[in-house]
Amino acid sequence: IPVEPFDLVIFGGTGDLARRKILPGLFRRYCSGQMPSDARIIGAARTDMDDAGFRDMVAAAIREFGGGRSCDDGTLDGFLERVGYVAVDAKGEGGWKELASRMRDEVPVRAFYFSVGPSLFGDLAERLHSFGLASEQSRIVVEKPFGHDLETAKALNATLAKHFDEEQIYRIDHYLGKETVQNLMAVRFGNMLFEPLWNAQYVDHIQITVAETVGVGGRGGYYDKSGAMRDMVQNHLMQLLCLIAMEPPARFEPNAVRDEKLKVIRALDPVLPHHIVRGQYAKQGDEPDYRTDVENPRSSTESFVAMKCHVSNWRWANTPFYIRTGKKLRARASEIAVVFKDAPHSIFGEEAGRHSNVLSIRLQPNEGMTLGVTIKEPGPGGMRLMDVPLDMSFAEEFGPEAEEVPDAYERLIMDVIRGNQTLFMRGDEVEAAWAWTDPIIEGWQKRGDFPKPYDVGSAGPEDSLMLMHRDGRKWREIK
Ligand code: BG6
């Protein structure tokens, strides 16, 4: 279904995110027929360039990062006709009048994507108003990192609030745009089967793993100041935890969903220092270590975190949520596993064996779900129990169409145009998340804590395995 006609300005339009994600994403939506014929996309950045130069850059970006969808040159030309460029000085006067002259009054949706560092948010917001580009209907999209800690996040929120209402601000966490992450809500709230068991009485614990094989790439400068805690846990992992732990919202509507997520964050206990393991990948063979990658030989930043968290409320009292994420691990594998308690009594005797049910939701790759069910081992050997998976894979279930599933950015940008904030973070949510992570990071700094080394291609430091082991539990394999 096509969205309404729009003018979308991408500040930072020549940057990495725009080239890798935003522009190819918009192109794929165009190919799917979702973009109306009078949509306009305007790149804005410091670089001096004309429309034709920008279109060449966009075409090259789509060829390189467009992925999956085949579009002939005619289609690409059609898309490029909707694309233009204005050189703009975010901190000065240059280019703003021209940008204003490109905006069309009759178009229902006007959106501004701040694909720039947070230090420019205030300048952009202010100039959008002083040059008359923004109205009460305009929307702005901002990227993470949304602040570095609670104080900076509050300052950013305050800066944006000077010029825009909360209903106009779309804070992106691209994990919320992932198909399988949204599926989490469908599984929980669309089935009668799981929800009655989704609590401390029946769930033994929950594991959330976001494992990556990539290192810090060319982003060492940013990453070394952030670490896994700020880069992944404060946003992506906390969002996953919220979706797993939250109460059913009354409706799938922005504030109903975000109110429930906020309650989860506020119910999180402070994490005890011995419930956290930090790691940093070490040199192995030809593979450089983290410190070489970030060009900081004394870095004490973590590229891995594992921890045990508690959501202190009626539903989850004493049910641990173990979460971990890291770079240069064994496999790229993101999974949420809900591990149910053992049956209270085995009528077959302990010798038959016991298996707890595990609902595993694979976020990426090989998206799908598996429910482990206990059955009788076939054969005449008496009653011996075994665990078998009831397996659903997106690719098998939906065939080639599954490959056409929109990437997180495509979906989220279309939601901005539709004016749907459900999958975007509200200001208070982001602040609550920082309020929980800040003391953890401050604790490390006060104690002069150093991360534990771990091998490239492993499952993280030994201590992370011990974190589970001490509780008589085991991480699920990263594979
Ligand atoms: C980003 C982080 O937000 O998410 C990166 O800054 C990380 O460090 C990336 O690699 C992971 O996203 P995805 O979609 O590849 O799982």
Side-chain angles (χ1 to χ4, degrees):
I1 310 167
V3 293
E4 285 193 292
F6 61 84
D7 280 344
L8 169 67
V9 177
I10 308 172
F11 293 109
T14 54
D16 209 45
L17 183 72
R19 290 189 312 111
R20 281 174 187 274
K21 294 285 183 186
I22 306 173
L23 292 160
L26 284 162
F27 174 62
R28 285 193 294 268
R29 291 293 90 208
Y30 172 78
C31 296
S32 309
Q34 206 176 14
M35 199 178 288
S37 56
D38 44 3
R40 292 280 174 284
I41 297 155
I42 301 171
R46 230 178 358 198
T47 317
D48 203 15
M49 202 190 277
D50 59 8
D51 285 341
F54 187 62
R55 285 182 189 138
D56 287 346
M57 194 213 83
V58 175
I62 287 171
R63 290 205 183 91
E64 190 173 352
F65 303 111
R69 209 146 304 187
S70 54
C71 257
D72 54 37
D73 279 351
T75 325
L76 182 55
D77 289 345
F79 176 73
L80 293 176
E81 276 170 26
R82 288 160 179 73
V83 175
Y85 182 82
V86 180
V88 165
D89 178 6
K91 287 183 171 295
E93 309 277 296
W96 287 95
K97 288 203 177 118
E98 193 196 335
L99 187 58
S101 73
R102 298 268 195 117
M103 303 272 101
R104 298 166 298 167
D105 287 335
E106 69 286 4
V107 170
V109 180
R110 195 178 274 192
F112 301 95
Y113 199 127
F114 291 11
S115 178
V116 294
S119 60
L120 291 180
F121 288 0
D123 294 308
L124 291 177
E126 198 180 303
R127 280 165 183 73
L128 284 177
H129 275 272
S130 58
F131 286 91
L133 277 85
S135 70
E136 277 172 19
Q137 274 76 46
S138 310
R139 291 158 204 169
I140 58 166
V141 186
V142 295
E143 271 293 334
K144 76 174 258 270
F146 198 82
H148 191 68
D149 51 21
L150 177 59
E151 200 184 318
T152 46
K154 275 188 173 165
L156 273 181
N157 275 334
T159 304
L160 295 180
K162 271 194 222 152
H163 303 286
F164 296 95
D165 292 338
E166 184 61 35
E167 287 65 41
Q168 299 177 275
I169 305 172
Y170 290 70
R171 295 177 193 77
I172 287 214
D173 182 315
H174 79 280
Y175 266 58
L176 292 177
K178 289 185 190 270
E179 185 70 20
T180 36
V181 174
Q182 291 172 61
N183 192 41
L184 254 177
M185 284 185 275
V187 168
R188 278 199 62 192
F189 305 127
N191 293 290
M192 193 54 198
L193 192 60
F194 301 115
E195 197 49 28
L197 307 180
W198 210 265
N199 56 51
Q201 203 182 339
Y202 298 103
V203 174
D204 179 70
H205 72 279
I206 286 169
Q207 299 188 18
I208 303 177
T209 299
V210 178
E212 298 187 278
T213 48
V214 292
V216 292
R219 303 157 70 226
Y222 150 77
Y223 193 91
D224 202 38
K225 290 197 199 74
S226 304
M229 192 71 185
R230 290 189 171 99
D231 184 53
M232 296 293 287
V233 176
Q234 187 271 347
N235 37 77
H236 306 324
L237 274 87
M238 286 194 72
Q239 289 295 322
L240 297 178
L241 190 150
C242 284
L243 296 179
I244 284 286
M246 72 183 185
E247 295 302 312
R251 278 172 297 280
F252 189 54
E253 281 179 358
N255 282 334
V257 171
R258 298 185 301 176
D259 286 346
E260 295 307 335
K261 287 196 292 168
L262 179 62
K263 285 185 208 160
V264 174
I265 304 177
R266 290 191 172 151
L268 277 167
D269 281 346
V271 184
L272 302 172
H274 64 284
H275 287 168
I276 310 184
V277 177
R278 299 168 80 206
Q280 194 186 70
Y281 56 85
K283 181 172 168 52
Q284 226 192 352
D286 292 341
E287 290 270 356
D289 63 357
Y290 172 83
R291 292 174 181 184
T292 309
D293 276 351
V294 298
E295 296 173 12
N296 178 3
R298 295 164 58 86
S299 173
S300 63
T301 303
E302 75 287 352
S303 57
F304 175 97
V305 190
M307 57 179 152
K308 175 158 90 163
C309 320
H310 280 103
V311 179
S312 272
N313 62 14
W314 192 285
R315 184 188 284 261
W316 294 116
N318 300 319
T319 312
F321 285 69
Y322 297 93
I323 66 180
R324 64 178 165 168
T325 182
K327 298 211 180 277
K328 293 252 179 155
L329 295 179
R330 182 174 302 145
R332 177 172 183 255
S334 300
E335 182 205 57
I336 297 172
V338 181
V339 181
F340 290 91
K341 289 187 173 166
D342 283 350
H345 165 72
S346 172
I347 64 167
F348 311 109
E350 292 307 322
E351 61 282 8
R354 270 178 186 248
H355 302 275
S356 42
N357 302 116
V358 179
L359 175 69
S360 139
I361 301 164
R362 295 185 301 275
L363 304 177
Q364 61 190 26
N366 186 20
E367 290 82 350
M369 273 171 39
T370 304
L371 178 64
V373 177
T374 301
I375 62 160
K376 176 184 173 300
E377 219 175 85
M383 186 58 90
R384 290 203 56 80
L385 303 180
M386 66 183 286
D387 184 42
V388 290
L390 294 182
D391 205 356
M392 191 282 283
S393 134
F394 268 62
E396 278 172 30
E397 193 65 28
F398 304 109
E401 275 173 33
E403 285 159 28
E404 303 277 304
V405 167
D407 149 277
Y409 274 93
E410 294 177 59
R411 176 187 308 269
L412 293 175
I413 297 169
M414 287 299 113
D415 277 357
V416 173
I417 306 296
R418 285 196 204 94
N420 184 348
Q421 287 185 304
T422 311
L423 300 176
F424 295 84
M425 293 180 295
R426 212 168 51 192
D428 51 3
E429 231 183 302
V430 177
E431 289 183 13
W434 281 120
W436 181 73
T437 37
D438 274 5
I440 299 175
I441 298 171
E442 280 160 21
W444 293 337
Q445 283 161 353
K446 269 197 211 123
R447 292 192 299 276
D449 188 279
F450 260 84
K452 302 275 187 290
Y454 65 93
D455 289 347
V456 170
S458 70
E462 274 291 311
D463 290 34
S464 150
L465 308 182
M466 289 309 295
L467 179 72
M468 279 283 199
H469 207 70
R470 280 203 306 261
D471 295 348
R473 300 184 175 108
K474 235 171 96 184
W475 284 111
R476 287 169 58 81
E477 217 181 314
I478 296 178
K479 54 179 182 195

